Amino acid sequence: PSGMTKINVDATLSNNSCTAMVVAIARDEAGIILGASAIMMEGVSDPKTAEALVYREGLALASDLMLQKVRIATDCANIVKNMHGPRMSPYGHIIREIKSGMASFALVEVVYESRNSNGDAQIS
């Protein structure tokens, strides 16, 4: 949408260790890359927890870039459902932290996009 920055996020887990990689890429409405972040996290073994952590990283990137209106897009539908609803999960504390952090922005949209649409942040 006009006036918003889109942040594509994705996460993946290592097959042989408890290591997650989270990636966030910010683009303006013209598609120009404004910034990116990639972090490896030790001790993460649950894919849904990794996907929740990537939302936190998306907000951190938005904050670092001093953005006020952002749309964070992921291909993980469960996380989007948990962000929009009251349901708690094993990673509910991360969702609460994200929701709290959203208050410092003028507008934050959390959306699901298919894997094909969320290609910027895809990790193989």
Side-chain angles (χ1 to χ4, degrees), residues 12-113:
T12 191
L13 293 173
S14 170
N15 289 332
N16 55 5
S17 68
C18 291
T19 304
M21 168 72 84
V22 296
V23 175
I25 299 173
R27 290 183 182 265
D28 67 11
E29 59 188 271
I32 297 170
I33 294 176
L34 302 175
S37 174
I39 297 176
M40 292 187 67
M41 298 178 175
E42 296 291 330
V44 180
S45 59
D46 177 54
K48 291 180 184 175
T49 299
E51 292 286 350
L53 289 168
V54 81
Y55 262 102
R56 188 175 71 180
E57 186 57 29
L59 279 182
L61 177 62
S63 180
D64 289 347
L65 295 172
M66 295 184 280
L67 303 173
Q68 282 301 301
K69 296 181 180 179
V70 295
R71 171 181 275 192
I72 301 178
T74 183
D75 61 0
C76 184
N78 285 331
I79 297 299
V80 174
K81 287 177 188 174
N82 282 305
M83 291 294 293
H84 290 287
R87 293 184 351 184
M88 284 289 111
S89 61
Y91 49 87
H93 60 290
I94 301 168
I95 299 295
R96 283 191 299 275
E97 179 184 340
I98 294 165
K99 287 182 176 183
S100 175
M102 291 168 74
S104 65
F105 296 89
L107 176 64
V108 178
E109 292 181 357
V110 176
V111 298
Y112 166 80
E113 290 187 353

